[in-house]
Amino acid sequence: MKYLKTKHEQNSAKITALIVVILILLCFVVGQDYQDPPEEYGVAVNFGNSAVGSGNMQPDKPVKSEDLDINKQPQEAQSEPNKAEEQTDETQEAAASEEIKEDALTQDIEEAIAIKKTEALKKAKAEADAKAKEAAAKKAKAKVDAEVKKKAEEAKKRAEIDAMMGGMNNSDGESSGSEGNDNEAGDKGQLDGNPYAPSYFGGGKGNGGVGSGLGGRGQGKFSEVKQDCNEEGLVVVLVEVDRNGKVVKATPGVQGTENTAPCLLEPARKIAESGKWPADSKAPTRQIGFVSIDFKLGQ
């Protein structure tokens, strides 16, 4: 052909033909569907020859006019609004009844919740009261136990002191009475002492010296210790002495002390610790006695 002489024209013709074939195939593949017979348009109307009707049986031919109750139609038509009104009233009554039931149910639930809360509060209060009573009972018991323990310790201490002093507190005398400078009843002093002596500690104040008392074991021997201050006055030291006559413990400043200056208490303790009494195998393991040091100015 005279139009397809060049190579480019031939290629263009081929491409054009290919595109046309593809378009034709697409028309068959994705084209519109057509129904056979075609779909009808409009609204389908039921067969009949009257404006009203009832029932489920469809007549094949027009119904006779005498079969229709013309007078009844208006009544039925009039009754329909009444039925609608009755249905509306019934619906409203049912809704109101449901609301009343829901309100009653809600009120019952709220009352039940309130009752449960009240019971829970009562239970919590009862538990708290029980715990408080238990704590108070434990506290009271602990106080009683502490008092009993304290009394037992005091009784044990008195017994130990009595044992150390050779049973003086438990001795059975022949007379009654009370004499001493303490707050407790008893006849303060020693069994081998003078009832008219001015001192309860065996050795008296002395004259700027040292006095001592240890029931039945005579007088002790002491070293001399100088005070570090210019003070004077009596210092009484409670001593515990073993069977060998050695002082194992000394407590200065006990009852009867007239001057509790530290510069006097320390030398008094050293003087008492230096004390030595005669040995006595029959004496208590630790016998209690007293050492009195009468400090003078410059001494």
Side-chain angles (χ1 to χ4, degrees), residues 34-298:
Y34 296 95
Q35 296 183 359
D36 189 17
E39 184 178 359
E40 296 181 357
Y41 296 95
V43 179
V45 179
N46 191 17
F47 175 78
N49 63 343
S50 64
V52 296
S54 63
N56 296 323
M57 296 179 62
Q58 175 63 55
D60 295 336
K61 295 181 179 180
V63 181
K64 296 179 180 180
S65 59
E66 62 225 18
D67 294 336
L68 298 176
D69 190 356
I70 299 174
N71 296 326
K72 187 178 180 181
Q73 291 178 2
Q75 294 179 357
E76 292 179 352
Q78 292 176 0
S79 65
E80 288 180 358
N82 295 331
K83 291 182 179 179
E85 292 177 358
E86 292 176 358
Q87 291 178 355
T88 303
D89 294 339
E90 292 177 356
T91 304
Q92 291 178 354
E93 291 178 358
S97 177
E98 290 294 332
E99 290 179 358
I100 293 172
K101 289 181 180 179
E102 290 179 358
D103 293 339
L105 181 60
T106 303
Q107 187 175 1
D108 292 341
I109 293 173
E110 290 177 353
E111 290 178 356
I113 293 173
I115 292 172
K116 288 183 178 179
K117 287 183 178 179
T118 304
E119 292 177 352
L121 290 174
K122 289 182 179 179
K123 185 177 180 181
K125 185 178 180 182
E127 292 178 354
D129 293 341
K131 289 182 180 179
K133 290 181 180 178
E134 185 178 358
K138 287 183 179 179
K139 187 175 180 181
K141 186 177 182 298
K143 186 177 180 180
V144 172
D145 293 341
E147 291 179 355
V148 171
K149 184 178 180 181
K150 184 178 179 181
K151 290 181 179 179
E153 290 177 352
E154 290 177 353
K156 183 179 179 182
K157 189 175 181 180
R158 285 196 297 268
E160 290 176 353
I161 293 174
D162 180 66
M164 289 185 214
M165 296 185 69
M168 286 177 56
N169 293 337
N170 293 330
S171 61
D172 294 329
E174 298 177 356
S175 62
S176 61
S178 180
E179 189 269 339
N181 56 1
D182 296 324
N183 294 325
E184 295 184 7
D187 185 12
K188 188 173 182 179
Q190 298 179 5
L191 291 176
D192 57 351
N194 184 352
Y196 302 102
S199 174
Y200 296 101
F201 307 109
K205 285 187 178 182
N207 186 13
V210 179
S212 64
L214 188 65
R217 299 178 72 172
Q219 295 290 325
K221 296 181 180 181
F222 305 92
S223 300
E224 184 179 354
V225 179
K226 296 288 184 179
Q227 60 167 311
D228 296 332
C229 58
N230 194 17
E231 294 279 348
E232 67 176 356
L234 178 67
V235 177
V236 181
V237 184
L238 175 68
V239 294
E240 296 181 15
V241 184
D242 61 12
R243 290 175 179 173
N244 296 323
K246 182 179 179 181
V247 177
V248 295
K249 185 177 180 181
T251 306
V254 298
Q255 188 169 1
T257 300
E258 297 177 353
N259 191 337
T260 58
C263 59
L264 295 183
L265 295 180
E266 184 61 22
R269 182 183 64 79
K270 291 180 179 180
I271 292 172
E273 288 179 345
S274 68
K276 184 70 177 177
W277 277 268
D280 186 358
S281 60
K282 296 181 180 179
T285 304
R286 287 193 177 186
Q287 187 175 3
I288 292 179
F290 299 92
V291 176
S292 59
I293 302 98
D294 187 16
F295 290 97
K296 296 298 182 180
L297 293 176

